[in-house]
Amino acid sequence: MRWPMCETESCPAIRLGTQGWNYPAWIGPFYPAHTRAVDFLRTYAKAFEVVEIDSTFYAIPPVRTVRGWASRVPEHFVFSCKLPQAITHERRFRDSRGLLDEFADRMRELGPRLGPILIQCAPDFLPAQGKPFAEWLAALPRDLRFAVEFRHPSWVRRRVLSLLQEHGVALALSDGRWIPREWLLALCAHPTADFAYLRWMGPDRAITDYSQLQVDRSAELDAWARMMPVLQGQVREIFGFVNNHFAGHAPASVRLLQTRLGLPTVDPARLGDQASLF
């Protein structure tokens, strides 16, 4: 079923993609047969216009790597990058201004292709540890966009939402095992930034085969599709990323959501039809 969406010229852009692109299991069901790993990103960008990079969570990439990403995609393509865990998990936002500045400078290498930066907090990071986090938010560079993902429900409180709104940081709405979906759907009406950041994670890591859909997530996708018009009325841009663990094969899940929202989809069978133009 398709839900009615905003259809005026001023409608917020809805950019949907996956969390990562480097999955050999996608060869066949998504990437054309015999696609080389070096061509994964170039091929991915023919189907989707945004992707979330997970590797930046583990280390700040070299300049040549970041420039290589940008060179493989068209101008309208957008990368969202995870903040390094050295800041979020190891230092818990303390004494990390230098790392933040280094990471921000590196990501600026993407130029106009840089989207929001995701601040993924640890599951055991609690509001009692919030003072250094609040101070850290105040030091964020204003030329970049940030979204924060809390993995403990105690963060969902009015005072925290006000803090995020004060700094223009989006609360990432992540459909996973941490915060009840009902809360997340209700929060669509109360964004904390002029853009929204959505993530579909799945309840666990039980899925290990990423080549096909294995779980029916129709009810979850229907619930989010119903709330998308509400979110559209609150923000200028919407970013959404699906994980393989959500249903088994992230590209197919994205297409299902695009169909519900009346957005154009790209049949994987067409990805090998024409040579890349970039």
Side-chain angles (χ1 to χ4, degrees):
M1 178 178 179
R2 174 179 172 178
W3 274 263
M5 301 294 291
C6 172
E7 296 182 354
T8 68
E9 292 184 358
S10 60
C11 287
I14 301 178
R15 302 179 184 272
L16 301 177
T18 65
Q19 296 175 26
W21 67 82
N22 193 22
Y23 298 102
W26 290 5
I27 298 176
F30 180 61
Y31 296 132
H34 311 300
T35 302
R36 300 177 303 164
V38 70
D39 294 322
F40 283 176
L41 178 57
R42 197 186 310 274
T43 306
Y44 173 97
K46 296 178 183 179
F48 305 118
E49 62 177 15
V50 66
V51 73
E52 183 183 271
I53 301 176
D54 183 62
S55 61
T56 55
F57 180 71
Y58 301 100
I60 298 177
V63 170
R64 65 179 181 277
T65 297
V66 179
R67 292 177 179 174
W69 293 335
S71 71
R72 289 178 172 86
V73 299
E75 292 183 359
H76 67 268
F77 192 89
V78 176
F79 294 92
S80 173
C81 311
K82 283 189 182 181
L83 197 72
Q85 63 179 344
I87 296 175
T88 58
H89 288 52
E90 297 171 14
R91 301 194 183 190
R92 304 289 175 125
F93 304 100
R94 297 179 183 273
D95 303 319
S96 59
R97 179 60 186 271
L99 278 175
L100 172 61
D101 290 344
E102 181 184 357
F103 180 73
D105 285 344
R106 194 62 45 82
M107 292 303 103
R108 289 188 182 102
E109 293 286 341
L110 290 170
R113 295 177 177 85
L114 176 59
I117 294 172
L118 178 64
I119 307 164
Q120 180 181 298
C121 297
D124 61 349
F125 183 65
L126 305 176
Q129 305 168 321
K131 183 177 179 180
F133 175 67
E135 295 172 347
W136 185 84
L137 285 181
L140 290 176
R142 298 304 175 188
D143 64 314
L144 303 179
R145 291 176 289 180
F146 292 85
V148 60
E149 179 186 81
F150 296 118
R151 295 194 167 189
H152 196 282
S154 60
W155 283 98
V156 183
R157 56 178 68 180
R158 189 179 302 275
R159 184 172 60 183
V160 174
L161 298 181
S162 296
L163 175 67
L164 298 182
Q165 188 172 34
E166 176 185 347
H167 297 293
V169 175
L171 174 65
L173 305 180
S174 296
D175 193 320
R177 62 182 181 275
W178 307 285
I179 297 175
R181 183 176 301 111
E182 292 75 15
W183 296 16
L184 301 173
L185 293 170
L187 286 167
C188 287
H190 305 282
T192 59
D194 63 358
F195 70 95
Y197 199 102
L198 312 177
R199 306 182 83 217
W200 291 276
M201 304 296 296
D204 53 45
R205 296 271 171 171
I207 294 175
T208 57
D209 173 13
Y210 303 152
S211 66
Q212 60 184 329
L213 293 177
Q214 296 149 64
V215 181
D216 183 359
R217 298 292 185 198
S218 297
E220 291 94 326
L221 293 178
D222 287 347
W224 282 103
R226 283 194 296 268
M227 289 304 298
M228 202 68 76
V230 175
L231 193 54
Q232 275 191 301
Q234 304 290 323
V235 300
R236 296 180 180 179
E237 197 166 15
I238 299 171
F239 297 88
F241 305 96
V242 180
N243 191 288
N244 280 317
H245 294 105
F246 181 66
H249 182 58
S253 293
V254 176
R255 292 196 300 274
L256 289 173
L257 185 54
Q258 288 173 326
T259 299
R260 283 166 166 77
L261 299 177
L263 300 174
T265 62
V266 175
D267 185 342
R270 294 173 50 200
L271 294 182
D273 287 351
Q274 57 184 352
S276 173
L277 300 179
F278 44 86

